Amino acid sequence: MIRFGAHVVLVLRYLLAEEIKDTFREKLMTVGDRILHMYSLFLFSKHHEELVGIYASQLASHRCIDLFVHMMELRLNSSVHVKYKIFLSAMEYLPFSQGDDSKGSFEEIIERLLSRSRETKAGKFDETSDVVEQHRLQSLQKALVVQWLCFTPPSTITDVKDISAKLLMRALIHREFALISMWRVPAMPIGAHELLSFLAEPLKQLSETPDTFEDYVSENLKEFQD
């Protein structure tokens, strides 16, 4: 039933957009967003992450961003395959950069994720564990967030090389949070090690196509190769 409702919403928005009066359009957007949001969560709960973007992309900007951030945080410790399905769903159906205030973008989702990863979530860890172990686990969580930036964008999207470069540059900038954890927890720098392993593939691609990246990115590459 909810699937039927979601499809009705899409049809009304696409086919009748020009004919709907302003008062009815506002109601359609509000009610329609609720239906699309519910169906997106339903697909997510059934592990059809690759389909979520079709419906989430039609949500108001803030709802779309909130939904993807929610899904990405819930799947943070999932397999690479599952996380990549969410990544592809966002990349294929959302604009990469913000251009339309009514549409959520991939960059806005990532910025929200990275911002939230910097927050210290004291209640998330066992109070009986020592401070060193808590720092170790926090650094790992930060590294797992950066992994979203290390996936390879689908070749079917526009400006795929530029987008790949932007993702890698953002990952290299954010890497400092995990590397700092290496100094605080020298015995078990798990976050830094995980992050460096995530960066291996995009850095390899960078070395193969250096002409597509800015000079300062190449400097970061040399730092990791040393």
Side-chain angles (χ1 to χ4, degrees):
M1 186 67 180
I2 189 173
R3 178 185 178 185
F4 175 76
H7 288 173
V8 168
V9 171
L10 294 181
V11 169
L12 289 175
R13 289 186 177 183
Y14 275 110
L15 299 183
L16 304 178
E18 300 298 328
E19 302 176 13
I20 298 176
K21 296 181 179 179
D22 291 340
T23 54
F24 183 67
R25 180 183 290 109
E26 183 177 349
K27 292 181 180 179
L28 177 62
M29 295 300 293
T30 301
V31 176
D33 271 10
R34 292 179 181 177
I35 295 173
L36 293 174
H37 186 269
M38 290 175 59
Y39 188 54
S40 296
L41 288 176
F42 172 77
L43 290 171
F44 178 73
S45 69
K46 297 299 181 181
H47 301 285
H48 293 303
E49 293 90 352
E50 69 280 3
L51 300 177
V52 171
I54 299 174
Y55 305 92
S57 63
Q58 301 303 314
L59 294 171
S61 176
H62 67 283
R63 292 192 179 98
C64 177
I65 295 170
D66 289 346
L67 176 61
F68 268 101
V69 169
H70 175 67
M71 293 190 300
M72 287 174 161
E73 289 185 337
L74 287 179
R75 294 288 191 263
L76 192 61
N77 295 293
S78 297
S79 67
V80 172
H81 173 69
V82 171
K83 295 178 73 172
Y84 191 59
K85 287 199 298 181
I86 301 177
F87 174 83
L88 282 182
S89 188
M91 292 294 294
E92 290 178 337
Y93 295 103
L94 301 179
F96 181 77
S97 301
Q98 184 180 14
D100 184 349
D101 291 339
S102 65
K103 297 288 185 181
S105 68
F106 186 84
E107 279 189 328
E108 291 175 292
I109 294 168
I110 287 298
E111 284 303 319
R112 177 82 64 81
L113 276 172
L114 295 177
S115 176
R116 288 171 62 85
S117 75
R118 300 185 189 107
E119 300 172 3
T120 302
K121 302 177 178 63
K124 188 174 181 179
F125 303 100
D126 187 353
E127 294 182 358
T128 61
S129 61
D130 58 32
V131 175
V132 172
E133 178 64 12
Q134 288 187 22
H135 281 315
R136 190 180 80 92
L137 294 175
Q138 287 174 1
S139 72
L140 175 59
Q141 293 300 301
K142 291 176 182 179
L144 290 173
V145 170
V146 179
Q147 186 181 21
W148 295 107
L149 295 165
C150 299
F151 289 126
T152 303
S155 59
T156 53
I157 64 174
T158 305
D159 298 326
V160 62
K161 289 185 177 181
D162 290 340
I163 289 175
S164 297
K166 290 179 180 179
L167 290 175
L168 178 55
M169 286 188 281
R170 195 67 187 84
L172 290 172
I173 293 171
H174 195 74
R175 80 187 193 282
E176 296 299 333
F177 291 98
L179 294 179
I180 288 172
S181 297
M182 180 185 290
W183 303 329
R184 291 193 298 177
V185 196
M188 297 177 290
I190 186 172
H193 287 175
E194 282 292 320
L195 181 53
L196 290 173
S197 69
F198 296 152
L199 288 169
E201 181 59 29
L203 284 171
K204 178 182 177 182
Q205 295 178 12
L206 168 61
S207 65
E208 294 172 350
T209 57
D211 56 308
T212 61
F213 296 84
E214 298 294 335
D215 291 339
Y216 78 90
V217 180
S218 296
E219 293 177 2
N220 279 288
L221 173 61
K222 293 178 181 178
E223 176 184 338
F224 278 93
Q225 289 177 332
D226 290 341

